[in-house]
Amino acid sequence: MSAPVPAPRSAPPLDPPGGRKALAVWSIGVAVYFVAVIFRTSLGVAGLEAADRFHVNASALSTFSLLQLLVYAGMQIPVGLMVDRLGTKKVLTLGAVLFTAGQIGFALSPSYGMALAARALLGCGDAMTFISVLRLGTRWFPARRGPLMAQLAGLVGMAGNLVSTLVLAPVLHGVGWVPAFAGSAVAGLIVLVPLTLFLRDHPDGHAPAPVSASGTPGAGGFVRRQIAASWREPGTRLGLWVHFTTQFPAMVFLLLWGMPFLVEAQGLSRTTAGGLLTLVVAANMGFGLLYGQLVGRRQSARIPLALGTVGVTALLWASVLVYPGDRAPMWLLVVLCVVLGTCGPASMIGFDFARPANPAERQGTASGITNMGGFLASMTTLLAVGVLLDATGDNYRIAFSSVFFLEVLGITQILRLRGRALARERERAHERRPVVPAPSGEPDPSHPSGPVAPASASA
């Protein structure tokens, strides 16, 4: 009687194929994100005009970006849950409608209060874009392309920032507030067309596993299970703190306070200051490609890249703030702007910790938790800088020193979590390693004791 044939361990699901169709679908989602970033960063080149238009001081001006980021950060987990439950297309479409309405409302607002409400609506729509684009990347491209696709998405977002600096700023100064902001809102209507007609959540045969409705009844049970399961993974928490620590210095500079700092504190012309903001964006795009290639080829480079970026950024901030005299030399400001360009690519590394720590049906939730980090830090710093400027009579050296407190907090948490997160990641990688079944009638040499149980569903 022949010996029983051991059941082979089931292989992990096949990677999506990628290819031209994947690139076309992903490009539609990225175009929506591109427009969202233009709208998000449009206030960064109009901060002084907004102060004059609505007759507000520095603290009130910072409230525009603070409220927008508060809504954005607060929406990250709900949006992640929506992406996991409803799919990418529905969430992206809703986001495009909301951020377009917010941009139009901001253009036409006659008062400070109505303008605040418009920025909040814009932030709500903006919050739905990036996580959706990350989800498209994981559903349409092989896993090995994940770091590069995330960096490319961030690079396209930076291109949106570049449009704000190079296009919206001169248009604003040339034609005025209402035509510039209302005209830019047309881009939101344009991207809705291919989004509604052609975007698909995933390629045929690669649908994610359905989210189980078992366990705690109702939608509240689903929400709690998704959040709790994602948060339990140390990789998700490490991703959040990497994003928290790396992103906010450049975000604060580009979103609101860079232009006033360069013009009022450093005595530069608006044209020169705009050129330096453009340099931040250009450096971000260049470093995004570099970081994506490095992380894609060597996962061990993630922690050194993240901590190195934080360290060099802190060094350059300190050098500018403590430079003797009233103003830093141009070469030092140029170096600062180049280094700030590394912050965005470094923040993408956070998703490279959260992604392998969670199965496909939890990717949206995990990405939402991670994405909260940098925007919480940016929101805190935007408020702190505005309050300190008003309290110190526009002393930018004191106000910008608030950056260092959050960097120290973030570094502490990264060092605390990295050991557990990397150990758990190695365990998951071993679980997902497929085993080739032994020939019929021969025992599996890697499992001499008999049949092998199927691999876990999370693999």
Side-chain angles (χ1 to χ4, degrees):
M1 184 174 181
S2 61
V5 179
R9 191 196 310 177
S10 60
L14 294 175
D15 269 353
R20 292 182 179 179
K21 187 174 182 180
L23 185 60
V25 172
W26 179 82
S27 297
I28 295 172
V30 170
V32 178
Y33 175 57
F34 172 76
V35 174
V37 174
I38 294 176
F39 293 177
R40 178 201 305 171
T41 57
S42 58
L43 186 60
V45 297
L48 299 177
E49 287 81 2
D52 292 337
R53 179 179 176 84
F54 300 112
H55 310 292
V56 294
N57 60 14
S59 296
L61 182 61
S62 67
T63 304
F64 276 123
S65 296
L66 175 65
L67 178 62
Q68 183 179 336
L69 291 185
L70 178 63
V71 172
Y72 188 104
M75 286 291 294
Q76 288 309 292
I77 293 179
V79 168
L81 293 165
M82 290 170 64
V83 170
D84 287 337
R85 197 71 180 263
L86 302 178
T88 303
K89 182 173 183 175
K90 292 179 181 178
V91 177
L92 262 183
T93 303
L94 178 60
V97 170
L98 291 178
F99 68 60
T100 302
Q103 187 77 341
I104 295 174
F106 191 61
L108 304 177
S109 294
S111 66
Y112 176 69
M114 291 185 66
L116 277 178
R119 294 306 285 187
L121 185 63
L122 193 157
C124 184
D126 182 19
M128 299 181 180
T129 58
F130 187 65
I131 293 177
S132 298
V133 171
L134 289 180
R135 175 77 165 188
L136 282 178
T138 60
R139 299 312 306 161
W140 281 89
F141 292 93
R144 67 180 183 278
R145 298 293 185 192
L148 180 60
M149 301 313 296
Q151 290 288 355
L152 288 175
L155 186 151
V156 173
M158 281 294 103
N161 201 327
L162 196 63
V163 170
S164 293
T165 304
L166 296 180
V167 179
L168 186 60
V171 170
L172 176 65
H173 300 148
V175 303
W177 182 277
V178 173
F181 280 95
S184 67
V186 175
L189 301 176
I190 293 174
V191 296
L192 272 170
V193 176
L195 170 58
T196 55
L197 293 179
F198 302 115
L199 190 133
R200 295 174 56 198
D201 288 349
H202 50 77
D204 294 335
H206 290 81
V211 179
S212 174
S214 61
T216 310
F222 165 78
V223 170
R224 287 192 294 271
R225 288 196 307 274
Q226 289 286 95
I227 295 175
S230 296
W231 186 255
R232 277 197 299 268
E233 294 291 345
T236 305
R237 301 197 300 276
L238 178 60
L240 180 147
W241 284 107
V242 168
H243 200 268
F244 177 100
T245 314
T246 53
Q247 187 202 47
F248 78 96
M251 179 68 70
V252 169
F253 198 80
L254 290 171
L255 199 59
L256 183 61
W257 292 120
M259 181 69 77
F261 169 72
L262 294 173
V263 173
E264 296 179 350
Q266 299 300 316
L268 303 179
S269 67
R270 288 176 181 268
T271 302
T272 304
L276 288 176
L277 294 179
T278 303
L279 179 60
V280 176
V281 178
N284 188 301
M285 297 171 71
F287 282 111
L289 292 174
L290 176 62
Y291 278 39
Q293 292 288 346
L294 288 175
V295 173
R297 294 177 181 179
R298 295 183 62 86
Q299 293 285 287
S300 59
R302 290 174 297 176
I303 291 292
L305 277 176
L307 293 180
T309 299
V310 175
V312 175
T313 303
L315 176 63
L316 265 297
W317 265 120
S319 300
V320 170
L321 296 181
V322 304
Y323 194 87
D326 295 333
R327 298 170 183 172
M330 178 58 71
W331 68 265
L332 185 55
L333 294 176
V334 169
V335 176
L336 171 65
C337 290
V338 171
V339 169
L340 286 176
T342 65
C343 294
S347 70
M348 295 295 102
I349 296 174
F351 298 102
D352 293 320
F353 288 111
R355 187 185 304 111
N358 292 271
E361 62 271 18
R362 239 179 21 232
Q363 288 292 321
T365 305
S367 296
I369 293 173
T370 300
N371 208 29
M372 282 180 59
F375 289 93
L376 287 173
S378 299
M379 179 179 61
T380 303
T381 309
L382 282 169
L383 177 61
V385 170
V387 170
L388 289 172
L389 284 175
D390 286 339
T392 60
D394 293 337
N395 188 321
Y396 280 90
R397 289 184 174 181
I398 295 176
F400 276 156
S401 295
S402 58
V403 169
F404 303 116
F405 292 97
L406 294 187
E407 287 185 326
V408 170
L409 172 62
I411 290 173
T412 302
Q413 294 299 319
I414 291 172
L415 295 177
R416 183 178 69 86
L417 288 166
R418 63 174 180 172
R420 278 180 287 168
L422 295 177
R424 177 64 176 143
E425 190 173 293
R426 287 191 294 269
E427 293 173 5
R428 281 186 173 272
H430 180 72
E431 292 171 2
R432 290 169 177 158
R433 188 175 303 147
V435 174
V436 179
S440 176
E442 298 180 12
D444 186 341
S446 63
H447 295 276
S449 59
V452 183
S456 65
S458 65

